[in-house]
Amino acid sequence: MGQFLNSAFRMPSWTDDPDTPEASMPPEIADSPEAPDTSKAPKAPDTSNAPKAPKDPKAPDTPNTPETLKTPETTPEPERSGGAPVRPNAAAAAPPQVPATMATPHRDSELRRTFPAFPARGVRTEDAAFAGTWWGNAWTDALERGALDVKRLARGRGYADGGNVDAITVTPGLVLAYVRGSRPRPYRVQVRLRTLEDDDWERFLDAAADRPGHIAALLDKELPESLADCGVPLLPGPGDLAPRCSCPDSGHPCKHAAALCYQTARLLDADPFVLLLLRGRGERELLDALSRRSAARAARAAQEGAPRSLPGVRAADALAPRRLPPPPQPLPAPPHPEQPPVYPAAPGGPDPFALDQLATDAAARAHALLTTGHDPVGGLTLWQDAVRLAAARPGSGLTAATRALYATLAAAAGRTPADLARAVAAWRQGGPEGLAVLEDAWDPPAGRFDRARPLLLAADLPAFRPWRNHLTHPRGHVQLRLGRDGLWYAYESEPGQDDWWPRGTPDLDPVGALTGLGTPDDL
C-alpha cells in the first residue's frame, strides 16, 4: 500500500532546457477548462495503521531528490483517523522549487536571442489593436485568422496582458517561452515559422539595397511596407504559425500558445529584426550583407557615371589669343504663334478647353514678346488679367464650360461671376480703357464734356443729366460715359434701375456712340 501511495503521489520530472522541443510534460494538471481542479481533490486515505510495504529497489530513496523538487504539485497531506494530520519530514513539506525564470540568456548568439519578460499592462478593450505597428498587427492578424476558437484567443490575450509569459527565446524558425498558468510550474510553449530559402533572401537584399531609405528605416527599427511587399513572404499568413504547448489542451492554439504569439507581436513592434531572425537570418549578418551590396552598387554607379577622359591641349595653345567668329544670326520669328497640342479630358482632371485657352494665350504672348520685345499684358493687375482671359473665351458665359471658367477666374480675383460678366462686356467694348470706364468715375475738365450736351440737343435728343463723367437720359435707360482716352462709351439699363451694361462701340462723337442703340424716337 505504501508503495502504491508513493507511486501515486510522485509526479514525473521534465527538462528545463528551452531548446529541447521534445521534453516530457506533466499532463496531470492542465491550465484548461477541461482539466480537473486539484484544489478540490479528495484527501488520501489514512495509512497510519497500514502495514508498510517492502521497499521497491527501483523507487527513489527519499522524496528529497532533485526530481521531487521539480514536482509541479505538492502531495496531499494524509490524516490520522483521529483527524490530526501526519507530520511529514521538513524536506517533504517544502513547497515546490520553481525558478524565477527559465530563460538562458547566457547562451545567446547571432542566431539565438533571449528577451526579458514584458511587464503586465492594463486591461484594454477587445477591439483595440494589440500591437503598435502595422507589422506587429499583421502578425496578430495571422494568428487570429488561423485560430479555431475565439475564446481561447481572448484568454491568451488576457494572459499576455497580465504578464504571464516568461522571457522569450527566438531562433530561426522558432519562438520559445514558458507561460504561467494555474499550476506552480509553467507550461513550455513554442511557435514555429518556416524559414526563407536562399533565393528569397537574395530578392529581399536586392530590394532593400535598391533604396537607401529601406536600410535607414531598418536601422531605425522600422519595417517599410514597400520592403515587406517585395515578393518575399516576410510576414506570416493564416495557418503559417505552428504553435505547440506542453498542456493537454488540444485547441489550435491553446491559450498559452496564443499568449506567446501576442507577446511576440510586441517584440516585433520594438525590433523588426526579430521577424528576420525568425525567417532565418541574424541582424549582424543582414546588415553586413546590405552594407556590401550598397558599397558595390555605389562603386558601379560611380564607375558608370565617371566622365570620359578628354584629349589634352597644350598650355601655350590654350593661352594663345584667338579671334572668335561672330555668333550666328538668330532665326526669324514665325509669322504667327503655333497652335498648342490638344489636351485629353480625364475624370477629375482640369478642363481641357481651359488648358487649351491658357496655352494659346501663353503662345500669343511669347510671340509678341519675341517679335516686339514687349509683353502687351505684362502690366495688368490680377483682376484685369482675369477679365482679359474670360473675354478671350468665345461665348457669353451661357455654356457649362464657360460658366466653370468664369467661376474659377472670379474666385481667384475675389469677385463674383456676375461682376466678371459685366467686366467682360466692358473689355470687349474698349479693352483696358473700357474696363476703366466701367469701374472708375472721374471729373473731366471743362471743354469736351461740356460740348456734349448741346450736340445731343441738336440731334433732337432730350437733355441728358450730367454727373461727373456720366450723361444719363432723363428716362434712365441710356447713359454716356466719357473715358480718359477721349471716347464716349454707351451703356444701357432697365428704366429706373442702376444696372448699367456696356453697349455699342466707343466714338469720339457722343451722338455716334448712341448709334445702334435704337432710333431717335426710342431714345
Side-chain angles (χ1 to χ4, degrees):
M1 188 65 176
Q3 179 180 0
F4 170 76
L5 291 177
N6 277 340
S7 61
F9 288 106
R10 184 178 180 276
M11 308 303 296
S13 63
W14 61 313
T15 181
D16 291 341
D17 184 5
D19 287 337
T20 307
E22 303 299 332
S24 59
M25 305 298 171
E28 285 76 11
I29 298 181
D31 190 18
S32 64
E34 295 84 0
D37 188 359
T38 58
S39 62
K40 299 180 180 180
K43 296 182 179 180
D46 186 4
T47 59
S48 59
N49 298 324
K52 295 184 179 179
K55 182 179 181 181
D56 188 354
K58 297 183 180 180
D61 291 338
T62 65
N64 206 16
T65 63
E67 290 295 322
T68 307
L69 293 179
K70 290 185 179 180
T71 304
E73 294 180 317
T74 57
T75 303
E77 189 176 76
E79 297 182 359
R80 298 182 183 273
S81 58
V86 177
R87 297 286 184 181
N89 55 39
Q97 301 296 323
V98 179
T101 178
M102 297 185 179
T104 55
H106 59 280
R107 300 175 55 186
D108 283 1
S109 63
E110 172 69 10
L111 296 180
R112 187 184 191 277
R113 297 178 63 184
T114 301
F115 300 90
F118 286 102
R121 58 182 182 180
V123 179
R124 296 170 298 108
T125 58
E126 294 185 359
D127 56 348
F130 188 88
T133 60
W134 72 268
W135 58 89
N137 285 316
W139 174 278
T140 59
D141 183 66
L143 164 70
E144 293 168 354
R145 292 175 61 185
L148 302 179
D149 189 350
V150 179
K151 293 183 178 179
R152 283 184 172 89
L153 284 180
R155 297 186 66 183
R157 187 166 175 158
Y159 272 24
D161 285 335
N164 287 32
V165 181
D166 197 8
I168 300 176
T169 300
V170 181
T171 59
L174 179 67
V175 182
L176 181 68
Y178 290 90
V179 180
R180 293 185 299 276
S182 60
R183 70 177 189 177
R185 194 167 193 83
Y187 293 103
R188 188 176 189 273
V189 185
Q190 64 182 15
V191 178
R192 294 190 178 272
L193 181 66
R194 183 181 66 85
T195 57
L196 298 179
E197 302 292 339
D198 291 340
D199 294 341
D200 292 333
W201 282 115
E202 290 297 318
R203 290 198 301 272
F204 172 81
L205 292 173
D206 286 338
D210 279 340
R211 296 172 58 181
H214 286 162
I215 302 178
L218 288 175
L219 292 176
D220 288 339
K221 305 303 182 183
E222 296 285 339
L223 181 61
E225 293 191 44
S226 56
L227 184 57
D229 295 336
C230 65
V232 179
L234 284 180
L235 292 166
D240 290 349
L241 301 178
R244 184 177 177 183
C245 182
S246 63
C247 75
D249 188 359
S250 60
H252 182 81
C254 67
K255 52 184 173 291
H256 314 104
L260 175 57
C261 287
Y262 279 119
Q263 292 295 61
T264 305
R266 297 177 67 183
L267 284 183
L268 300 184
D269 281 348
D271 189 356
F273 280 102
V274 175
L275 176 63
L276 301 178
L277 176 58
L278 270 173
R279 287 300 192 179
R281 296 286 178 93
E283 178 177 355
R284 179 51 52 193
E285 179 184 1
L286 287 174
L287 292 179
D288 290 345
L290 288 175
S291 177
R292 290 191 297 270
R293 289 183 182 239
S294 298
R297 287 171 182 260
R300 286 196 301 268
Q303 185 177 5
E304 294 172 357
R308 296 181 179 179
S309 59
L310 300 176
V313 180
R314 294 179 60 87
D317 297 336
L319 297 177
R322 289 182 299 169
R323 202 177 194 89
L324 297 178
Q329 293 294 327
L331 295 176
H336 54 78
E338 298 294 334
Q339 186 69 20
V342 178
Y343 298 93
D351 182 8
F353 296 105
L355 288 178
D356 179 77
Q357 180 180 354
L358 290 175
T360 302
D361 179 72
R365 293 178 60 184
H367 184 267
L369 186 61
L370 180 63
T371 54
T372 66
H374 173 68
D375 185 3
V377 296
L380 297 181
T381 64
L382 176 63
W383 170 242
Q384 290 172 336
D385 197 38
V387 174
R388 180 188 66 84
L389 289 175
R393 183 67 176 265
S396 57
L398 299 179
T399 64
T402 306
R403 287 197 299 270
L405 176 64
Y406 276 37
T408 303
L409 292 175
R415 301 292 186 92
T416 64
D419 294 338
L420 181 60
R422 194 189 310 271
V424 165
W427 188 279
R428 290 175 177 172
Q429 185 187 39
E433 290 294 334
L435 181 61
V437 170
L438 171 68
E439 297 185 333
D440 298 331
W442 59 288
D443 295 323
R448 188 176 185 81
F449 184 80
D450 296 334
R451 291 193 298 268
R453 296 182 67 195
L455 293 174
L456 294 174
L457 291 174
D460 295 332
L461 294 173
F464 280 60
R465 300 190 303 268
W467 179 80
R468 306 194 73 177
N469 64 326
H470 297 178
L471 291 176
T472 307
H473 194 282
R475 293 211 307 267
H477 67 293
V478 176
Q479 187 179 88
L480 287 171
R481 298 185 182 184
L482 179 62
R484 296 182 185 272
D485 57 354
L487 298 179
W488 289 95
Y489 294 80
Y491 281 74
E492 284 186 341
S493 174
E494 291 294 330
Q497 297 184 9
D498 191 16
D499 186 24
W500 298 102
W501 283 77
R503 292 289 187 269
T505 304
D507 200 310
L508 291 171
D509 183 13
V511 179
L514 296 175
T515 303
L517 299 185
T519 63
D521 294 337
D522 296 333
L523 297 177

